[in-house]
């Protein structure tokens, strides 16, 4: 059993394959955090926290002046404001007292249960339940006088070393309760050692760069107040020992299963203890709970690795693939997308020409991106009017898709359902459907407004429009885009304005889940102006997300390297585009573009008419090769062989099949020099005792040799050269 309970000592131990997590109840009822680290069976870690008179730290009244008891210094599982804890807390509430708002509560242990089921997700995406009974621990904390209860859930995923946490905040008798912060999880790393934090920051067309920094005293915080997880910060943090690297050192990874705004804090306190909190955005939160009402927080995945960042990533990848993603084949259709080929300049003739070329190049699907509906000749109009523009498509979408299918291709379509253009029939008919504060004109961005997804009329309209498209127009794939953030968190329908941003994203999930359930054969891809909503919440609804609008392969090295810290290859869509690249103007070889795009779900986004015959042959070869290696790359283990591109001129990675019989090694040189050193790459993840045949090399080598001595890649010459080598265990074809 992964969860054991010592009823006498009120001690709860969660054990996964390589980690142990332990919590327990203090004599005064505080829920203490005792341990999270390498697996140790049968230890009671309650000896670790030291209770000392901290002078000015406050005592609760029932400590009867025992100065060693102070929530300001103790390691706690779900600290709350109002309990004498001056640090960053998990829960902050307000409740009316004598006609005014009083702050805070003082949560104490009230009971526990072992559950066979994960908590009710309340419209939020959550990991699938692990097999076996008794995998979820429920602990209830209560402040009867304040009328507040926090119910904490811990679910153990042994094989991937993940513990999923979630909290439900309830009003159990307050006249009215306003929740202004409710974290999904808190983690007190209370031994006074230094920690580094790795986070993923960015911007449009430059998402998920890695930032690593020492956590100093004070609070390091990242988050999003945009109503989306955002390109600026990703809802992920890794906290690791300062000398931790890819294959050594203790690391904690925290990943939020949520696509709305979020908040992550890492605080180092006066006693050098480090507290992590992770949850939904609290700057935009004031959720009013009537008596009996509750607020369910998103799920947070916690992973521990004593074997470095590489193992941390692989465990998260396994958890996402095994328990979060909707079912999808490892080999996704290789597609040609019209965006960078044509932008808005599309009509049936151009799309059919592209389709013919996609078929000729051996691809599986033609995706028609933006510009097909209403009168959308640029990005200023028509969102919401989801009917084909008959000027461009006289036979409508169904006519177009029939012609594409006759070529043996699938047909995919771009949509941006959550938005409405200022210039659209939908907005003219229903201006009250947008998020806007009464009496004030809302902000526009890209000439569009955000639809109030919490309004049932909006949800019904979108369901009607989109389900009809999917039912009638032969659509095999949908790219679900979202190109702006929420500026006005106000709904015209009666509801919880203070929780609007949270309710908004839940309504997006509801529509997506309804559509994906009704049309299981349609492949959905997430997108938000590139990777502006690239998170584990979306990945519970769609199996892949457009990584970034930046398709420059050298820029992509950093984006995909950062993304891989938390997310597996099979969720990152990556396209080969034209050279010089449209975003950067940089020229790169087609081979390099192909190798970089094959690190995820491969697609193309260029006009084949501009290609030479030789380039066309190369693309045909790339597509064929990708079909061969995709299952191994999508389902295998990722090993980052070098630091990220900011720190090295040779970026290398490899994917190893779970049975270690095959592997694919990839590397790209980002700089060249005259009379330069030879490039070598040392491999990882192989079976030391297996002999591997190496593509293009006469001599097989043992896994041990390849991991100890590595491989010479040779001379680095020309613009951005790249290598991709297949390794096959001797005796395999
Ligand atoms: C943003 C997406 O990321 C692009 O790929 C493209 O679909 C455009 N939107 C279309 O407007």
């Amino acid at each position: 059993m992964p969860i054991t309970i010592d009823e006498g000592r009120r001690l709860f131990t969660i054990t996964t394959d390589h980690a142990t997590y332990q919590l327990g109840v203090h004599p005064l009822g505080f829920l203490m955090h005792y341990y999270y680290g390498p697996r140790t069976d049968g230890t009671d870690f309650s000896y670790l926290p030291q209770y000392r008179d901290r002078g000015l730290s406050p005592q609760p009244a029932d400590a009867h002046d025992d100065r060693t008891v102070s929530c300001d210094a103790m390691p706690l599982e779900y600290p709350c404001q109002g309990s004498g804890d001056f640090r960053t807390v998990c829960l902050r509430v307000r409740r009316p007292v004598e006609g005014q708002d009083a702050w805070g509560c003082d949560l104490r242990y009230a009971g526990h249960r072992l559950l066979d089921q994960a908590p009710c997700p309340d419209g939020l995406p959550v990991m699938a339940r692990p097999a076996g009974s008794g995998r979820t621990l429920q602990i209830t904390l209560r402040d009867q006088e304040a009328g507040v209860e926090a119910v904490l859930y811990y679910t153990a995923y042994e094989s991937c070393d993940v513990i999923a946490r979630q909290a439900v905040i309830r009003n159990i008798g307050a006249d009215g309760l306003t929740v202004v912060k409710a974290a999904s999880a808190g983690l007190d790393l209370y031994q006074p050692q230094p920690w580094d934090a790795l986070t993923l920051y960015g911007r449009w067309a430059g998402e998920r760069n890695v930032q690593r920094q020492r956590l100093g005293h004070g609070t390091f915080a990242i988050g999003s107040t945009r109503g989306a997880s955002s390109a600026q910060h990703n809802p992920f943090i890794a906290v690791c020992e300062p000398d931790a690297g890819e294959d050594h050192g203790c690391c904690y990874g925290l990943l939020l299963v949520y696509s709305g705004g979020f908040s992550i804090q890492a605080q180092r306190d006066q006693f050098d203890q480090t507290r992590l909190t992770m949850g939904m955005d609290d700057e935009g939160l004031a959720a009013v709970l009537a008596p009996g009402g509750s607020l369910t927080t998103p799920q947070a995945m916690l992973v521990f690795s004593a074997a470095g960042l590489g193992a941390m990533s692989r465990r998260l990848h396994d958890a996402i693939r095994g328990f979060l993603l909707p079912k999808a084949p490892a080999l996704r259709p290789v597609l040609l997308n019209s965006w960078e080929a044509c932008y808005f300049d599309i009509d049936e003739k151009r799309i059919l020409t592209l389709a013919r070329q996609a078929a000729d190049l051996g691809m599986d699907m033609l995706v028609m991106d933006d510009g097909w509906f209403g009168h959308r000749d640029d990005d200023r109009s028509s969102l919401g009017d989801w009917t084909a523009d008959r000027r461009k498509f006289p036979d409508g979408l169904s006519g177009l898709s029939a012609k594409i299918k006759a070529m043996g291709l699938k047909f995919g379509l771009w949509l941006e359902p959550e938005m409405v253009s200022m210039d659209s029939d939908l907005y003219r008919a229903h201006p009250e459907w947008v998020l806007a504060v009464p009496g004030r004109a809302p902000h526009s961005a890209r000439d569009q407004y955000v639809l109030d997804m919490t309004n049932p009329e909006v949800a019904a309209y979108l369901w009607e429009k989109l389900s009809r498209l999917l039912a009638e127009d032969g659509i095999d794939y949908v790219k679900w885009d979202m190109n702006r953030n929420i500026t006005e968190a106000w709904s015209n329908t009666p509801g919880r304005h203070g929780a609007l941003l949270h309710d908004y994203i839940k309504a997006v999930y509801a529509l997506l889940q309804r559509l994906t359930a009704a049309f299981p054969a349609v492949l959905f891809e997430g997108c938000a102006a590139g990777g502006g909503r690239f998170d584990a919440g979306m990945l519970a609804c769609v199996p892949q997300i457009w990584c970034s609008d930046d398709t420059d392969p050298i820029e992509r090295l950093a984006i995909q390297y950062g993304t891989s810290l938390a997310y597996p290859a099979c969720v990152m869509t990556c396209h080969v585009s034209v050279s010089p690249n449209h975003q950067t103007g940089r020229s790169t070889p087609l081979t390099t573009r192909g190798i970089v795009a094959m690190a995820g779900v491969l697609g193309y986004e260029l006009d084949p008419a501009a290609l030479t015959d030789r380039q066309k042959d190369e693309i045909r070869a790339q597509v064929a090769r990708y079909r061969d290696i995709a299952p191994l790359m999508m389902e295998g283990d990722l090993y980052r062989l070098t630091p990220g591109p900011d720190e090295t001129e040779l970026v290398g990675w490899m994917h190893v099949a779970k049975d270690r019989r095959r592997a694919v090694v990839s590397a790209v040189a980002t700089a060249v020099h005259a009379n330069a050193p030879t490039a070598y790459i040392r491999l990882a993840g192989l079976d030391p005792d297996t002999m591997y045949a190496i593509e293009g090399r006469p001599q097989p080598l043992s896994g041990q040799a390849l991991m100890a001595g590595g491989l010479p890649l040779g001379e680095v010459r020309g613009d951005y050269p790249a290598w991709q080598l297949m390794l096959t265990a001797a005796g395999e074809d």
Side-chain angles (χ1 to χ4, degrees):
M1 284 285 281
I3 300 179
T4 54
I5 301 175
D6 183 329
E7 298 283 354
R9 297 186 206 172
R10 294 201 292 187
L11 194 67
F12 310 94
T13 307
I14 305 169
T15 310
T16 58
D17 280 1
H18 303 94
T20 295
Y21 188 109
Q22 197 175 74
L23 55 154
V25 183
H26 182 274
L28 292 183
F30 301 111
L31 189 62
M32 303 287 294
H33 176 71
Y34 290 143
Y35 177 79
Y36 191 21
R39 178 173 173 160
T40 58
D41 293 336
T43 311
D44 173 352
F45 284 105
S46 61
Y47 73 90
L48 279 177
Q50 298 298 293
Y51 302 90
R52 293 167 50 192
D53 179 349
R54 290 298 190 175
L56 298 176
S57 288
Q59 278 72 56
D62 55 349
H64 304 299
D65 217 19
D66 174 354
R67 292 193 183 184
T68 66
V69 178
S70 179
C71 286
D72 196 28
M74 300 187 324
L76 297 163
E77 278 295 314
Y78 202 72
C80 53
Q81 184 196 33
S83 63
D85 190 336
F86 295 115
R87 295 171 287 177
T88 291
V89 291
C90 286
L91 183 68
R92 290 168 55 221
V93 294
R94 300 192 308 237
R95 66 197 162 94
V97 176
E98 296 175 2
Q100 312 247 15
D101 263 357
W103 290 81
C105 61
D106 183 1
L107 294 172
R108 309 285 179 102
Y109 168 84
H112 69 264
R113 284 165 66 197
L114 213 48
L115 304 178
D116 285 344
Q117 285 166 9
C120 170
D122 189 28
L124 289 164
V126 289
M127 296 170 75
R129 230 175 64 70
S133 60
R135 250 81 179 154
T136 298
L137 171 66
Q138 173 190 301
I139 299 194
T140 302
L141 305 177
R142 187 175 296 146
D143 180 340
Q144 195 68 51
E145 193 200 320
V148 189
E149 203 170 77
V151 187
L152 311 183
Y153 296 91
Y154 300 77
T155 302
Y157 295 81
E158 290 150 273
S159 60
C160 50
D161 282 310
V162 162
I163 296 170
R165 286 188 57 181
Q166 210 168 355
V168 178
I169 313 304
R170 285 188 211 290
N171 178 345
I172 54 162
D175 287 344
L177 186 74
T178 306
V179 181
V180 292
K181 178 173 184 182
S184 302
L187 181 62
D188 275 356
L189 304 173
Y190 59 93
Q191 298 193 21
Q193 65 190 84
W195 295 104
D196 277 3
L198 275 79
T199 51
L200 303 174
Y201 73 96
R203 57 187 180 280
W204 170 72
E207 300 89 340
R208 294 177 299 286
N209 301 279
V210 180
Q211 170 172 269
R212 181 170 182 159
Q213 64 190 72
R214 184 68 38 82
L215 290 173
H217 289 95
T219 306
F220 168 68
I222 59 161
S224 159
T225 56
R226 296 167 180 266
S229 49
S230 90
Q232 286 68 20
H233 294 286
N234 195 262
F236 166 76
I237 188 169
V239 171
C240 62
E241 292 175 330
D243 63 352
E246 278 300 315
D247 56 6
H248 60 277
C250 286
C251 315
Y252 300 88
L254 279 72
L255 182 66
L256 195 64
V257 186
Y258 194 56
S259 313
F262 70 96
S263 167
I264 297 176
Q265 283 142 341
Q267 188 182 53
R268 192 164 173 84
D269 74 8
Q270 57 186 331
F271 307 121
D272 294 354
Q273 307 180 105
T274 298
R275 169 171 288 174
L276 307 176
T277 64
M278 167 180 266
M280 67 173 101
D281 166 35
D282 48 286
E283 280 186 35
L285 183 70
V288 179
L289 305 185
S294 64
L295 176 72
T296 302
T297 68
Q299 195 174 54
M301 292 162 65
L302 278 63
V303 65
F304 171 76
S305 153
L309 293 161
M312 175 201 74
S313 297
R314 287 187 288 281
R315 287 167 195 173
L316 282 174
H317 298 174
D318 284 345
I320 289 172
R321 290 183 298 202
F323 298 98
L324 198 61
L325 288 185
K327 279 209 171 7
L331 179 60
R332 313 276 164 77
V334 178
L335 60 84
L336 179 65
N337 178 297
S338 65
W339 182 241
E340 284 199 25
C342 315
Y343 295 103
F344 291 99
D345 188 11
I346 53 172
D347 58 19
E348 182 170 297
K349 192 163 165 247
R350 273 204 94 177
I351 293 293
L352 289 178
T353 306
L354 280 185
R356 228 167 276 121
Q357 289 159 329
D360 175 53
L361 294 172
M363 299 177 197
D364 305 304
M365 179 155 72
L366 188 284
V367 173
M368 180 159 71
D369 209 282
D370 203 346
W372 60 268
F373 51 91
H375 58 101
R376 190 155 165 100
D377 299 328
D378 55 33
D379 63 7
R380 292 181 177 276
S381 83
S382 304
L383 295 172
D385 300 343
W386 300 113
T387 309
D389 182 346
R390 290 278 170 170
R391 294 172 305 160
K392 301 176 185 173
F393 302 98
D395 296 335
L397 279 187
S398 52
L400 177 71
S401 93
K403 288 172 202 163
I404 289 175
K405 291 191 173 196
M407 299 176 200
L409 288 178
K410 291 174 187 277
F411 175 52
L413 194 67
W414 178 95
L415 289 162
E416 193 176 358
E418 298 157 62
M419 300 292 156
V420 62
S421 297
M422 297 152 81
D423 173 10
S424 66
D425 293 343
L426 182 64
Y427 183 64
R428 282 183 281 275
H430 289 291
E432 78 285 6
W433 279 5
V434 305
L435 294 176
V437 176
R440 297 194 71 165
H443 289 83
S444 64
R446 215 190 189 205
D447 282 277
Q448 63 198 55
Y449 293 140
V450 184
L451 285 172
D452 177 3
M453 299 293 287
T454 69
N455 180 340
E457 288 178 18
V458 172
Y461 171 82
L462 289 173
W463 165 257
E464 202 273 321
K465 280 278 174 195
L466 305 187
S467 60
R468 187 170 321 156
L469 277 179
L470 296 181
E472 294 174 5
D473 292 325
I475 291 159
D476 301 298
Y477 155 107
V478 166
K479 179 175 172 187
W480 184 292
D481 205 348
M482 192 282 292
N483 281 293
R484 64 155 288 185
N485 294 137
I486 299 175
T487 42
E488 279 78 20
W490 186 280
S491 165
N492 275 320
T493 55
R496 303 183 296 177
H497 298 301
L500 197 267
L501 293 174
H502 182 56
D503 290 343
Y504 174 93
I505 200 68
K506 287 201 320 187
V508 173
Y509 291 138
L511 181 60
L512 255 174
Q513 279 159 355
R514 191 172 173 199
L515 285 165
T516 52
F519 299 97
V522 177
L523 173 64
F524 280 76
E525 174 165 329
C527 176
R533 205 163 58 182
F534 198 116
D535 55 67
M538 269 299 136
L539 290 174
C541 305
V542 302
Q544 59 189 50
I545 303 179
W546 179 226
C547 213
S548 174
D549 274 351
D550 187 349
T551 55
D552 176 314
I554 306 307
E555 295 260 281
R556 274 289 184 124
L557 288 176
I559 295 170
Q560 295 174 193
Y561 174 86
T563 305
S564 80
L565 269 191
Y567 304 98
C570 67
V571 308
M572 298 193 266
T573 54
C574 308
H575 293 175
V576 173
S577 62
V578 75
S579 175
N581 179 267
H582 286 188
Q583 292 81 44
T584 61
R586 183 188 347 233
S587 297
T588 52
L590 181 54
T591 311
T592 304
R593 283 176 271 151
I595 287 173
V596 173
M598 282 189 218
V601 177
L602 175 71
Y604 290 79
E605 190 159 333
L606 43 68
D607 182 0
L611 298 171
T612 63
D613 286 348
R614 221 168 128 185
Q615 287 171 323
K616 286 184 187 171
D617 282 344
E618 182 166 354
I619 288 181
R620 286 186 195 101
Q622 285 178 351
V623 172
R625 182 173 178 92
Y626 180 71
R627 289 214 178 92
D628 179 30
I629 62 179
L632 133 61
M633 294 177 79
M634 301 301 121
E635 291 170 346
D637 287 329
L638 171 75
Y639 288 83
R640 291 177 291 261
L641 301 177
T642 64
D646 288 349
E647 295 173 57
T648 174
E649 293 183 349
L650 183 77
V651 183
W653 63 95
M654 68 189 282
H655 294 88
V656 183
K658 288 278 180 194
D659 65 4
R660 297 194 286 176
R661 306 292 293 166
R662 286 177 97 202
V664 179
V665 181
S666 306
V668 178
T670 57
V672 288
H673 306 281
N675 195 22
T678 301
Y680 289 89
I681 193 126
R682 208 170 311 150
L683 309 192
L686 299 170
D687 175 10
D689 300 327
T690 295
M691 293 300 290
Y692 292 92
I694 303 157
E695 185 179 15
R697 317 239 167 161
Q699 184 196 3
L701 289 167
S702 70
Q704 190 176 44
L706 290 163
M707 293 191 288
L711 267 180
L713 292 175
E715 193 184 357
V716 179
R717 272 191 78 78
D719 290 333
Y720 307 104
W723 299 260
Q724 191 181 68
L725 301 170
M726 170 73 90
L727 268 58
T728 313
E732 311 255 328
D733 288 331

